[in-house]
Amino acid sequence: MATTLRTSEADFEERFARFLTTKREVSPDVDAIVRDIIAAVRERGDAALLDYTQKFDRADLGKTGLAVTRADIERAYQEADAATVEALTFARDRILAHHKRQRPADDRYTDSLGVELGSRWTAIEAVGLYVPGGTAAYPSSVLMNAMPAIVAGVPRLVMVVPPSGGTINPLVLVAADLVGVHEIYRVGGAQAVAALAYGTETIRPVAKIVGPGNAYVAAAKRQVFGTVGIDMIAGPSEVLVIADGANDPDWIAADLLAQAEHDSGAQSILITDDAAFADAVEAAVERQIRLLPRAETASASWRDFGAIILVGTLDEALPLADRIAAEHVELAFDGAEKFLQRLTNAGAVFLGRHTPEVIGDYVGGSNHVLPTARSARFSSGLSVLDFMKRTSILKVGPEQLRALAPAAIALAKAEGLDAHARSVAIRLNDG
Amino acid sequence: MATTLRTSEADFEERFARFLTTKREVSPDVDAIVRDIIAAVRERGDAALLDYTQKFDRADLGKTGLAVTRADIERAYQEADAATVEALTFARDRILAHHKRQRPADDRYTDSLGVELGSRWTAIEAVGLYVPGGTAAYPSSVLMNAMPAIVAGVPRLVMVVPPSGGTINPLVLVAADLVGVHEIYRVGGAQAVAALAYGTETIRPVAKIVGPGNAYVAAAKRQVFGTVGIDMIAGPSEVLVIADGANDPDWIAADLLAQAEHDSGAQSILITDDAAFADAVEAAVERQIRLLPRAETASASWRDFGAIILVGTLDEALPLADRIAAEHVELAFDGAEKFLQRLTNAGAVFLGRHTPEVIGDYVGGSNHVLPTARSARFSSGLSVLDFMKRTSILKVGPEQLRALAPAAIALAKAEGLDAHARSVAIRLNDG
């Protein structure tokens, strides 16, 4: 049974505030271990990667090599289910089409004083993409993380994936190939992050590392940050479904469970204005949960973090939704568009009764890497912009310099920076 | 004397690679102290702020109050030099005009299948701006950090500034008022960051914290990251000047010193293809440095981190500049535009002989908060985008769902996520 909150109750604000700050993740402190791994990779290079892969993944890179070859990828296509490859290709094409629209425009203009200004976007020169091994190896995540980099024009996109127990999910290799990843290496964990950040004999360093991973990978990304860029550290997934009583309770229950099955730390929240509907959804959840192969995970998530919030009217849901700032928000009621216009904090919004969040996970075309743990208040889902950087441009001639100089010199002097003032003033004697 | 490197020498690559990895900053480990300060502010709120401000800033908030009032700001205008206020206003207007061009466009469209997709940008609901006290209180930095937030439409921009020794630089208050900062509090250090992240009786929490600060502020920002967003942690400033022999050595020397006077960890680099010009610049630096009030700082920076790199042709400078990835790059030679087109890594580029970097610090219009320490390889200067976030939008009707469902279900099953597959399949019986 999930938690139930009612806005009509006197202690609602207190309970809701507590609900918002509930931690859903225990991060083990692996900083010291990770520090040692990074130091070893910096010192011993490929040899350290071989040792750690033997130890953690029980795989012998001496036999397979570190680099995944073209032949390995062809073999993956052979091993993969043809219908799934077709589905991946369909998803790839839709994700490509959407992300092409995110490419930023350069700007260059001359203002009224004759000063030329500009902003120019360029792709990051090399990006590393971490892909987890084992059961967490999701080919859809490879598409979602790699495609924005390719659309950005990143000339060198390097994927690392641990060969857990000696093998890599063939669909992960197929997904990487479908997007156009340039290099793939059989290595995971903190050692892979270290190799991407500092380079080894085989793996040249990159400038930014993205992609999900376990506590070791997250700690390693934090430690190499600065030397390279990193993306957000993702927490457990979450969905907020706002639904009126006109929905089919089974549909909404299915959506809540799709989130809950991800992880015992995942969170599914229903806000509704219909108490009978809430009961029906809760009953449907209990019914459906038993049918799931991942019933144990989904049950733990729903029991520990699931919530049903009963509101007087759906208007009351708006400030609550902004405070929850969920990764995924489904708006399953008439008037969803108007509600969306007033909603501020959400990673992604799914409109209407026929847009389950799962469509966005795979084939909607938008990115499924989205801000978790209330970070939609201040951050965005993964996009092409995450793989580019902006250089600002300034060009001033002698005449413009004379127009700008007095203010620049005044401010430099007010800030006690005489060499700044001098660098402008010295040019004023000219032409 | 700065370091001299010549591409013609056999050990150039080795020396250049070592030069690139030189650390220019020692970050004292203040994590434990900062952790205690944050805990105290979370527990004791305003009372903790009063105590720490008494202790660290020797200022009695019991007398002045925590909040800066309208009367305080009017007094600051009275105290400020009128010409400097005019210069600040001139700079404000130019920065405003440039940043207005950075506002991102929303996108909403229907694709060939009839699926509606979109991206919507909204301002972050509340932002905290840290402004250092004492000599590091730069009014120009207040303009540069606050303006993009205002242009983004942030409805609540909260400035904190320590009342070092009891006072706040009136120009800092004037700059804040000129941009339109909504709230100002007399508090600094880790305690201010804690107040912004968690809130106290007087200061409501924000969703993101930006602005430069000392080691305590930087450590506090890192510790509250996740609860709120933060900007990049800025390192010491740097300039790379690429210049041919046709420049006036005194001008280029002045530019190198404008950077060096900032901080003993600042870095000024000259790349030139003219050995005699290099010598002339070096002599001019030595001559000018003695005239500076901040001669000690500038000398330390130039001696420890300054560099002159002699290249055979300016074309050789291109890959070196991309590897240096400097915060500021001056291109003082004919053909600078063509060079810029091929340059990848630079925070900001200043074109031609009449665009000293200092113009960008104050009145160019572009932002002076730029990526340091080689992070221009993967990040950008501060912009309006840093104060907004993007929500992605997806809307699917019954017909589109039928078109998308097979691929979504196939991928969900391939990933072992049955509840995902079910959330799509359950809707197919409809309509």
Side-chain angles (χ1 to χ4, degrees):
Chain A
M1 293 286 284
T3 303
T4 302
L5 301 172
R6 292 175 187 80
T7 54
S8 59
E9 288 178 353
D11 63 348
F12 174 77
E13 174 53 35
E14 193 189 312
R15 290 185 68 202
F16 183 70
R18 203 163 52 230
F19 170 76
L20 280 185
T21 54
T22 306
K23 280 252 177 291
R24 308 195 329 259
E25 211 181 5
V26 182
S27 301
D29 185 358
V30 295
D31 276 349
I33 301 167
V34 165
R35 210 175 305 278
D36 289 347
I37 293 173
I38 293 174
V41 172
R42 291 185 72 175
E43 200 180 312
R44 299 177 47 235
D46 285 349
L49 300 185
L50 262 72
D51 288 352
Y52 286 122
T53 304
Q54 185 66 259
K55 184 174 168 188
F56 296 132
D57 300 306
R58 295 165 196 281
D60 184 357
L61 291 179
K63 282 187 187 159
T64 56
L66 196 49
V68 169
T69 63
R70 189 68 228 166
D72 294 327
I73 290 169
E74 296 303 337
R75 201 173 316 117
Y77 274 102
Q78 299 302 321
E79 286 169 24
D81 170 60
T84 311
V85 174
E86 201 182 321
L88 273 177
T89 308
F90 178 81
R92 187 269 316 264
D93 292 344
R94 291 191 55 81
I95 298 165
L96 173 62
H98 179 70
H99 285 77
K100 275 184 176 171
R101 299 176 70 101
Q102 293 178 343
R103 281 195 281 229
D106 289 349
D107 189 23
R108 185 83 184 257
Y109 65 100
T110 304
D111 74 9
S112 57
L113 288 182
V115 177
E116 287 184 49
L117 295 105
S119 299
R120 192 191 50 161
W121 291 89
T122 47
I124 295 176
E125 59 198 4
V127 170
L129 165 56
Y130 191 91
V131 175
T135 52
Y138 294 137
S140 63
S141 284
V142 174
L143 299 183
M144 294 292 183
N145 278 281
M147 185 58 88
I150 293 295
V151 172
V154 170
R156 183 167 164 256
L157 179 58
V158 184
M159 186 171 109
V160 291
V161 52
S164 309
T167 60
I168 293 174
N169 179 347
L171 288 172
V172 162
L173 296 183
V174 167
D177 186 64
L178 286 175
V179 180
V181 169
H182 303 102
E183 303 168 21
I184 307 176
Y185 299 100
R186 287 181 180 87
V187 63
Q191 59 274 21
V193 174
L196 289 170
Y198 295 103
T200 68
E201 299 90 322
T202 303
I203 304 178
R204 281 182 298 140
V206 300
K208 183 167 184 172
I209 302 174
V210 303
N214 61 20
Y216 293 86
V217 172
K221 280 167 69 179
R222 277 200 201 90
Q223 287 185 24
V224 300
F225 176 58
T227 299
V228 297
I230 61 168
D231 59 353
M232 299 276 298
I233 307 280
S237 200
E238 68 233 0
V239 71
L240 165 63
V241 181
I242 306 179
D244 62 15
N247 286 280
D248 184 329
D250 270 317
W251 294 15
I252 301 300
D255 297 354
L256 296 170
L257 287 171
Q259 208 58 223
E261 76 171 336
H262 264 300
D263 188 299
S264 56
Q267 182 165 57
S268 304
I269 306 169
L270 169 66
I271 300 185
T272 183
D273 57 353
D274 185 325
F277 176 72
D279 290 343
V281 170
E282 182 127 38
V285 165
E286 301 301 334
R287 220 162 40 233
Q288 290 182 30
I289 215 166
R290 283 182 238 130
L291 311 172
L292 296 178
R294 297 168 71 109
E296 205 177 325
T297 301
S299 296
S301 159
W302 182 241
R303 178 193 66 224
D304 296 339
F305 304 115
I308 295 180
I309 303 177
L310 273 164
V311 289
T313 67
L314 288 183
D315 255 8
E316 277 180 32
L318 191 73
L320 304 181
D322 270 337
R323 288 170 71 187
I324 294 169
E327 183 189 12
H328 308 106
V329 179
E330 286 187 18
L331 301 180
F333 53 91
D334 300 334
E337 287 278 1
K338 272 197 184 160
F339 191 95
L340 168 63
Q341 281 165 33
R342 295 188 296 151
L343 183 67
T344 302
N345 298 332
V349 172
F350 304 86
L351 290 166
R353 307 183 200 277
H354 288 83
T355 317
E357 180 273 321
V358 171
I359 288 296
D361 284 342
Y362 294 117
V363 292
S366 48
N367 210 288
H368 80 198
V369 181
L370 294 164
T372 58
R374 305 189 63 220
S375 64
R377 289 172 301 133
F378 54 80
S379 62
S380 310
L382 197 70
S383 83
V384 170
L385 294 181
D386 293 303
F387 298 95
M388 305 187 81
K389 64 265 183 334
R390 206 185 66 258
T391 296
S392 75
I393 299 165
L394 201 57
K395 186 177 181 180
V396 170
E399 194 185 327
Q400 291 78 42
L401 190 70
R402 273 193 298 275
L404 298 176
I409 292 170
L411 291 172
K413 290 201 167 160
E415 293 185 350
L417 296 172
D418 286 55
H420 280 60
R422 191 183 177 84
S423 155
V424 174
I426 200 169
R427 284 173 165 86
L428 290 180
N429 304 322
D430 178 63
Chain B
M1 294 285 283
T3 303
T4 302
L5 301 172
R6 293 175 186 80
T7 54
S8 58
E9 288 178 352
D11 62 349
F12 173 78
E13 173 54 34
E14 193 188 312
R15 291 185 65 201
F16 183 70
R18 203 163 54 228
F19 169 75
L20 280 185
T21 54
T22 306
K23 281 251 178 290
R24 309 197 326 262
E25 211 182 4
V26 182
S27 300
D29 185 359
V30 296
D31 276 349
I33 301 168
V34 165
R35 210 176 305 279
D36 288 348
I37 294 174
I38 293 175
V41 172
R42 291 186 71 174
E43 199 180 312
R44 300 177 45 236
D46 285 349
L49 299 185
L50 263 71
D51 289 351
Y52 286 122
T53 305
Q54 186 66 257
K55 184 174 168 186
F56 296 132
D57 301 305
R58 297 167 194 280
D60 183 358
L61 292 179
K63 283 188 187 159
T64 57
L66 195 50
V68 168
T69 63
R70 189 68 229 165
D72 294 326
I73 290 169
E74 296 303 338
R75 201 173 316 115
Y77 274 101
Q78 300 302 322
E79 287 168 22
D81 170 61
T84 311
V85 173
E86 201 182 321
L88 273 176
T89 308
F90 178 80
R92 187 270 315 266
D93 292 345
R94 292 191 55 81
I95 298 165
L96 174 61
H98 179 70
H99 285 77
K100 274 183 177 172
R101 299 176 71 100
Q102 293 179 343
R103 280 194 281 230
D106 289 349
D107 189 24
R108 186 83 185 256
Y109 66 101
T110 304
D111 73 9
S112 57
L113 288 182
V115 177
E116 286 184 50
L117 295 105
S119 299
R120 192 190 50 160
W121 291 89
T122 47
I124 295 177
E125 61 198 1
V127 169
L129 165 55
Y130 190 91
V131 175
T135 54
Y138 294 137
S140 63
S141 284
V142 174
L143 299 182
M144 294 292 183
N145 278 281
M147 186 57 88
I150 294 295
V151 173
V154 169
R156 183 168 164 258
L157 179 58
V158 184
M159 186 170 108
V160 291
V161 53
S164 308
T167 60
I168 294 174
N169 179 348
L171 288 173
V172 162
L173 296 183
V174 167
D177 187 63
L178 286 175
V179 180
V181 168
H182 303 103
E183 303 168 22
I184 307 176
Y185 299 100
R186 287 181 181 84
V187 63
Q191 59 274 21
V193 174
L196 290 169
Y198 294 104
T200 68
E201 300 89 323
T202 303
I203 305 177
R204 282 181 297 139
V206 301
K208 183 168 184 171
I209 302 174
V210 302
N214 62 19
Y216 293 85
V217 172
K221 280 167 70 180
R222 279 201 198 88
Q223 287 185 25
V224 302
F225 176 57
T227 298
V228 297
I230 61 169
D231 59 352
M232 298 276 300
I233 308 280
S237 199
E238 70 232 359
V239 72
L240 165 63
V241 180
I242 306 180
D244 61 14
N247 286 280
D248 185 328
D250 270 317
W251 294 15
I252 300 301
D255 298 354
L256 296 170
L257 286 171
Q259 208 59 223
E261 77 171 336
H262 264 299
D263 189 299
S264 57
Q267 182 165 56
S268 304
I269 306 170
L270 168 66
I271 300 185
T272 183
D273 56 353
D274 186 325
F277 176 73
D279 289 343
V281 171
E282 182 126 38
V285 165
E286 301 302 333
R287 221 163 38 233
Q288 290 182 29
I289 214 165
R290 282 181 240 129
L291 310 173
L292 296 177
R294 296 168 72 110
E296 204 177 327
T297 302
S299 297
S301 159
W302 182 241
R303 178 193 65 224
D304 296 340
F305 305 115
I308 296 180
I309 304 177
L310 274 165
V311 290
T313 68
L314 288 182
D315 254 9
E316 277 180 35
L318 190 75
L320 304 181
D322 270 337
R323 288 169 71 188
I324 293 169
E327 183 189 12
H328 307 106
V329 179
E330 286 187 17
L331 301 180
F333 53 92
D334 301 334
E337 287 279 0
K338 272 197 183 157
F339 191 96
L340 169 63
Q341 281 166 33
R342 296 186 296 152
L343 183 68
T344 303
N345 298 331
V349 171
F350 304 85
L351 290 166
R353 306 182 201 279
H354 288 83
T355 318
E357 181 273 319
V358 170
I359 288 295
D361 283 343
Y362 294 117
V363 292
S366 48
N367 209 288
H368 80 196
V369 181
L370 294 164
T372 58
R374 305 189 62 219
S375 64
R377 290 173 300 132
F378 53 80
S379 63
S380 311
L382 197 70
S383 82
V384 170
L385 294 180
D386 293 304
F387 298 95
M388 305 189 79
K389 63 265 182 333
R390 207 186 65 257
T391 296
S392 74
I393 299 165
L394 202 57
K395 186 176 181 180
V396 170
E399 194 184 328
Q400 291 77 41
L401 191 70
R402 273 193 298 276
L404 298 177
I409 292 170
L411 291 173
K413 290 201 166 159
E415 293 185 349
L417 297 172
D418 287 56
H420 279 60
R422 191 183 176 84
S423 155
V424 175
I426 201 169
R427 284 172 166 86
L428 291 181
N429 305 322
D430 176 65

